[in-house]
């Protein structure tokens, strides 16, 4: 808080000397509140909400910021040329917003790119499209795959340059993408150049593994030979790697002047992409040559850790359709969502699906009923309870560690070892506090060292999670590695046969417990969701419907909520919709 306040004072010092002492203090409060809002994930501050927070009227806020000389005022039709001042005020039909000008620029550029992409329809041989449509329809009739939602999304995406596909866990986004790629490969005479990326290394590896698995699925009765030959490992990566990371720079090698060389770009886990990165990704596309860009994600999940609300804003966009057969002028136009929705989930057990939907719908009686099922249980939010669950001899964690100690060598079977480790996860609301990931990791490891007699810091089975991107080592934020010790030497093993001595790892943390944010894009057989009871305003702002939904839907078979019932109900009543002007730009 002090850092933000100090920075707010520095920026306020740039203001016009015409401000009175009182107005200068008001300006510091305004800028400080803007920083607080951005820290909470908003891309800007809405003036009427800010007025309540800092106890000033809307008019005083607007007058002070305008008089300061460090901000320009804009209406919707004035956003093409932003003045390079620190702040911007944007007046819309539902109120006024205060931005850091750079963030307004990001949103304006995203809006401009998306509107241009929305107007483009793809031209190809109609007979080929009809043949592809017939094959997929026959496949659906034969074995139900693709289902109707998936079929609609595939055919719609074939016909448009921009596609948004949204669905919860297990709704078949990967299968949809694989069949969409098959369809596109049939439609184009030349094999398209494909790039598939995600915000984190873990998510990128997961989508790669999922697509490779889908290509082997015997239920999918189409010839995938060309896809198997085309979709190599170098087609998959993080967004940062696709754009060309530059050390110690916020800019990338690929941009408006040096666009990406690809025909089809697929972006998974799009809800995790923050505003700046989303803008830079679109900026790196040649909109005149790229054939298709497809964003995948779950609009009900947590938004990005960074500021912004881009994917959810895109899902909410409606596109005007013209009905040329309409006989009445007033029926000539209709609207439909830009996004294609996948509803049918096959991943979660029925009890988990029922609980997650009840959380989304804020249905407290149904949630209470779900928590009586053996697959979805409620336990007290006590450290002793969490430790007891992890420490029991039959717990997934103890079985995993026992397995590691019994093996002579596991170096050649890291994939199997990872699978055993990710049978269960402890998901925390925050890093801090008694039930935060830092303390829980400490207590679980202390318990493990006593049980197994480990004396050293590094022992076989010790899991770590990388906390920052390291491009030279090809390690990324969210990657999980497991320590194996042979001949007294410890090495940390990651996916794709990567291994490193502990001393060379970038910043990392123990991974017996991780935050719910870090779990996005992952799945586990069982999940422990740990929600501490707190009356603090900051903790309550973190406790949202989207947070609990994201945590619960990481589980495939069972979930235990360590929470008080009123804490869970509080979260369900608190939706984390962020403040953004993007929806105005996309209308």
């Amino acid at each position: 808080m002090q850092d933000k306040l100090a920075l707010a004072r520095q920026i306020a010092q740039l203001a016009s000397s015409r401000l009175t002492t009182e107005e200068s203090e008001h300006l510091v409060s305004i800028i400080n509140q803007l920083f607080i809002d951005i820290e909470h994930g908003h891309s800007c501050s809405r003036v009427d909400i800010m007025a309540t927070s800092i106890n000033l009227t809307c008019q005083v806020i607007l007058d002070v910021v305008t008089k300061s000389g460090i901000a320009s005022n804009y209406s919707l039709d004035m956003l093409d040329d932003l003045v390079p001042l620190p702040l911007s005020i944007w007046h819309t039909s539902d109120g006024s917003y205060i931005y850091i000008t750079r963030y307004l620029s990001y949103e304006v550029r995203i809006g401009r790119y998306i509107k241009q992409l929305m107007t483009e329809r793809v031209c190809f041989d109609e007979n080929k499209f009809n043949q592809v449509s017939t094959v997929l329809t026959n496949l659906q009739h034969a074995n139900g795959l693709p289902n109707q939602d998936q079929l609609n999304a595939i055919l719609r995406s074939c016909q448009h340059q921009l596609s948004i596909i949204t669905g919860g866990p297990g709704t078949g986004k990967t299968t949809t993408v694989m069949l969409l790629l098959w369809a596109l490969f049939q439609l184009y005479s030349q094999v398209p150049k494909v790039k598939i990326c995600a915000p984190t290394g873990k998510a990128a590896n997961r989508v790669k593994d999922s697509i490779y698995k889908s290509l082997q699925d015997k239920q999918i009765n189409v010839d995938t030979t060309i896809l198997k030959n085309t979709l190599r490992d170098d087609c998959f990566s993080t967004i940062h790697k696709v754009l060309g990371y530059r050390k110690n720079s916020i800019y990338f090698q690929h941009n408006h002047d040096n666009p990406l060389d690809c025909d089809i770009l697929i972006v998974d886990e799009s809800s995790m992409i923050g505003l700046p990165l989303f803008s830079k990704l679109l900026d790196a596309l040649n909109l005149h040559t790229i054939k298709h860009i497809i964003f995948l994600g779950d609009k009900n999940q947590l938004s990005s850790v960074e500021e912004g609300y881009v994917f959810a804003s895109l899902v909410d966009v409606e596109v005007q359709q013209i009905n040329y057969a309409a006989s009445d002028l007033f029926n000539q136009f209709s609207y439909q969502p830009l996004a294609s929705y996948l509803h049918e989930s096959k991943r979660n057990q029925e009890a988990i699906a029922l609980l997650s939907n009840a959380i989304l719908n804020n249905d407290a009686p149904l949630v209470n009923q779900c928590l009586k099922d053996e697959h979805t249980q409620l336990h007290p939010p006590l450290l002793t309870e969490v430790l007891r669950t992890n420490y029991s001899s039959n717990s997934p964690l103890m079985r995993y560690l026992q397995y590691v100690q019994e093996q002579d060598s596991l170096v050649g079977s890291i994939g199997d070892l990872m699978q055993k480790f990710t049978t269960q996860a402890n998901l925390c609301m925050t890093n801090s506090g008694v039930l935060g990931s830092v303390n829980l990791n400490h207590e679980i490891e202390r318990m493990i060292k006593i049980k197994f007699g480990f004396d050293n810091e590094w022992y076989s089975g010790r899991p770590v999670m990388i906390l920052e991107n390291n491009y030279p080592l090809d390690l990324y934020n969210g990657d999980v590695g497991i320590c194996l010790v042979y001949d007294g030497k410890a090495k940390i093993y990651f996916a794709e046969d990567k291994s490193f001595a502990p001393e060379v790892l970038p910043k990392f943390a123990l991974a017996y417990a991780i935050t719910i944010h870090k779990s996005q894009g992952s799945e586990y057989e069982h999940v422990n969701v740990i929600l501490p009871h707190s009356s603090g305003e900051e903790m309550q702002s973190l406790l949202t419907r989207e947070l609990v939904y994201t945590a619960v839907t990481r589980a495939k078979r069972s979930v235990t909520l360590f929470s008080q019932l009123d804490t869970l109900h509080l979260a369900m009543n608190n939706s984390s919709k962020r403040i953004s002007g993007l929806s105005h730009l996309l209308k």
Side-chain angles (χ1 to χ4, degrees):
M1 182 69 72
Q2 287 300 318
D3 290 342
K4 289 193 289 289
L5 188 58
L7 183 56
R9 291 193 182 280
Q10 288 179 17
I11 295 175
Q13 287 175 0
L14 302 173
S16 168
S17 58
R18 292 177 295 170
L19 293 182
T20 66
T21 302
E22 183 181 40
E23 288 171 335
S24 294
E25 286 304 311
H26 288 339
L27 183 61
V28 170
S29 298
I30 292 165
I31 298 172
N32 185 57
Q33 185 60 46
L34 175 58
F35 288 158
I36 291 171
D37 290 342
I38 289 172
E39 188 176 62
H40 288 164
H42 308 294
S43 57
C44 56
S45 293
R46 187 166 155 157
V47 172
D48 55 348
I49 298 174
M50 176 187 278
T52 303
S53 300
I54 62 176
N55 199 26
L56 294 173
T57 67
C58 294
Q59 195 58 54
V60 167
I61 291 172
L62 293 173
D63 288 346
V64 166
V65 176
T66 301
K67 187 178 175 182
S68 72
I70 62 171
S72 290
N73 283 267
Y74 301 96
S75 59
L76 184 58
D77 58 352
M78 295 170 57
L79 292 173
D80 287 338
D81 296 304
L82 299 180
V83 179
L85 291 172
L87 304 180
S88 294
I89 305 171
W90 182 22
H91 305 282
T92 73
S93 57
D94 69 347
S96 298
Y97 299 83
I98 297 179
Y99 278 85
I100 292 175
T101 300
R102 184 173 74 253
Y103 288 171
L104 179 57
S105 176
Y106 288 144
E107 288 198 347
V108 169
R109 282 153 58 189
I110 289 171
R112 187 181 301 133
Y113 289 135
I114 295 297
K115 287 169 83 170
Q116 184 174 340
L117 287 164
M118 282 165 51
T119 60
E120 297 294 330
R121 283 181 69 88
V122 179
C123 297
F124 40 66
D125 189 307
E126 190 173 337
N127 289 329
K128 282 187 178 180
F129 179 75
N130 290 335
Q131 289 170 8
V132 166
S133 178
T134 299
V135 170
L136 291 173
T137 302
N138 290 340
L139 192 60
Q140 181 194 44
H141 291 159
N143 60 17
L145 192 70
N147 62 38
Q148 192 59 50
D149 286 345
Q150 292 169 329
L151 180 61
N152 291 343
I154 292 165
L155 297 180
R156 189 175 177 187
S157 297
C158 284
Q159 299 174 78
H160 293 88
Q161 195 177 19
L162 172 69
S163 301
I164 312 292
I165 300 176
T166 182
T171 52
K173 292 190 288 293
T174 302
T175 300
T176 303
V177 164
M178 199 279 290
L179 287 172
L180 171 58
L181 284 172
W182 172 84
L184 292 174
F185 274 51
Q186 311 307 306
L187 293 173
Y188 293 108
S189 54
Q190 289 188 321
V191 176
K193 299 175 185 175
V194 179
K195 290 191 181 297
I196 301 171
C197 59
T200 67
K202 180 173 65 174
N205 283 328
R206 186 165 172 267
V207 70
K208 179 182 72 175
D209 292 343
S210 297
I211 286 181
Y212 282 172
K213 186 177 179 181
S214 290
L215 289 173
Q216 307 301 326
D217 191 342
K218 290 184 170 58
Q219 273 192 297
I220 298 174
N221 230 349
V222 294
D223 185 359
T224 59
T225 304
I226 191 169
L227 291 179
K228 292 174 183 175
N229 292 336
T230 304
L231 297 179
R232 299 299 185 182
D233 285 0
D234 58 1
C235 292
F236 302 87
S237 71
T238 64
I239 297 173
H240 288 78
K241 196 169 181 179
V242 164
L243 292 179
Y245 168 77
R246 286 179 173 174
K247 189 175 181 180
N248 300 324
S249 174
I250 63 170
Y251 301 104
F252 294 95
Q253 293 175 17
H254 290 290
N255 50 42
H256 182 73
D257 298 319
N258 180 30
L260 288 168
D261 180 23
C262 71
D263 300 309
I264 299 169
L265 178 67
I266 296 171
V267 187
D268 197 22
E269 296 292 350
S270 298
S271 64
M272 297 170 63
I273 309 173
L275 176 65
L277 186 58
F278 218 113
S279 175
K280 289 167 185 176
L281 178 61
L282 290 174
D283 201 37
L285 302 179
N286 186 333
L287 303 191
H288 301 293
T289 60
I290 193 164
K291 292 178 170 64
H292 299 274
I293 176 167
I294 299 117
F295 290 104
L296 308 168
D298 182 354
K299 74 160 191 167
N300 295 312
Q301 273 191 194
L302 283 164
S303 294
S304 60
V305 176
E306 292 182 310
E307 58 282 338
Y309 197 59
V310 184
F311 183 73
S313 297
L314 295 181
V315 170
D316 291 339
V317 170
E318 290 192 330
V319 183
Q320 187 182 73
Q321 303 292 314
I322 301 176
N323 180 7
Y324 292 102
S327 57
D328 190 320
L329 175 65
F330 295 100
N331 294 326
Q332 189 170 357
F333 299 101
S334 63
Y335 289 86
Q336 69 175 39
L338 173 63
S340 297
Y341 287 78
L342 307 180
H343 296 99
E344 185 181 327
S345 176
K346 293 184 178 179
R347 191 182 97 178
N348 303 125
Q349 289 281 353
E350 183 178 345
I352 296 173
L354 198 64
L355 175 60
S356 60
N357 286 327
I359 290 168
L360 277 184
N361 296 323
N362 195 14
D363 188 339
L366 183 55
V367 166
N368 297 349
Q369 181 183 332
C370 289
L371 294 175
K372 297 174 183 176
D373 190 283
E374 63 177 344
H375 295 99
T376 50
Q377 296 186 354
L378 185 72
H379 286 200
L382 301 172
L383 179 61
T384 52
E385 280 284 309
V386 178
L387 293 177
R388 183 182 60 79
T389 300
N390 281 274
Y391 192 63
S392 66
S393 58
N394 198 38
S395 76
L397 178 58
M398 290 300 117
R399 291 201 303 268
Y400 154 77
L401 287 166
Q402 193 66 48
Y403 170 80
V404 173
Q405 308 317 310
E406 291 170 353
Q407 304 306 307
D408 293 330
S409 176
L410 288 164
V411 172
S413 55
I414 298 303
D416 292 339
L417 185 59
M418 288 282 187
Q419 193 170 18
K420 289 184 181 297
F421 172 68
T422 55
T423 300
Q424 174 185 283
N426 294 296
L427 305 184
C428 305
M429 189 170 85
T430 66
N431 288 310
S432 59
V434 173
L435 291 176
S437 64
V438 173
N439 187 61
L440 193 53
N441 272 313
H442 173 76
E443 292 296 329
I444 290 175
E445 184 168 63
R446 183 178 63 82
M447 173 186 77
I448 287 168
K449 285 187 172 183
I450 292 171
K451 179 175 176 63
F452 289 93
F454 299 142
D455 294 324
N456 297 325
E457 177 185 6
W458 295 99
Y459 50 87
S460 290
R462 190 185 199 220
V464 297
M465 175 176 278
I466 301 301
L467 300 180
E468 61 186 18
N469 295 331
N470 187 299
Y471 293 91
L473 294 181
D474 197 26
L475 290 176
Y476 303 96
N477 189 357
D479 285 354
V480 173
I482 293 176
C483 177
L484 294 177
V485 180
Y486 294 113
D487 298 327
K489 293 183 178 180
K491 273 194 172 183
I492 316 302
Y493 291 82
F494 294 84
E496 300 178 334
D497 300 322
K498 293 180 290 191
S499 64
F500 305 91
E503 296 79 15
V504 304
L505 291 180
K507 186 178 179 182
F508 66 88
L510 271 173
Y512 291 118
I514 62 175
T515 62
I516 297 168
H517 272 94
K518 290 289 187 186
S519 74
Q520 285 184 267
S522 300
E523 60 182 21
Y524 311 91
E525 295 295 310
H526 176 79
V527 162
N528 296 320
V529 182
I530 301 146
L531 304 175
H533 179 72
S534 175
S535 57
E537 185 177 336
E538 185 172 352
M539 288 290 279
Q540 288 190 12
S541 69
L542 297 173
L543 190 63
T544 65
R545 185 185 312 162
E546 291 78 7
L547 183 89
V548 180
Y549 167 83
T550 300
V552 167
T553 55
R554 298 311 92 205
K556 293 197 291 183
R557 296 192 177 278
S558 57
V559 59
T560 301
L561 285 156
F562 292 87
S563 171
Q564 292 182 346
L565 196 55
D566 62 347
T567 301
L568 185 56
H569 290 169
L570 175 68
M572 289 161 53
N573 278 293
N574 185 19
S575 182
S576 66
K577 185 170 182 179
R578 293 178 173 181
I579 299 171
S580 165
L582 195 53
S583 59
H584 291 284
L585 294 162
L586 294 172
K587 284 183 180 177

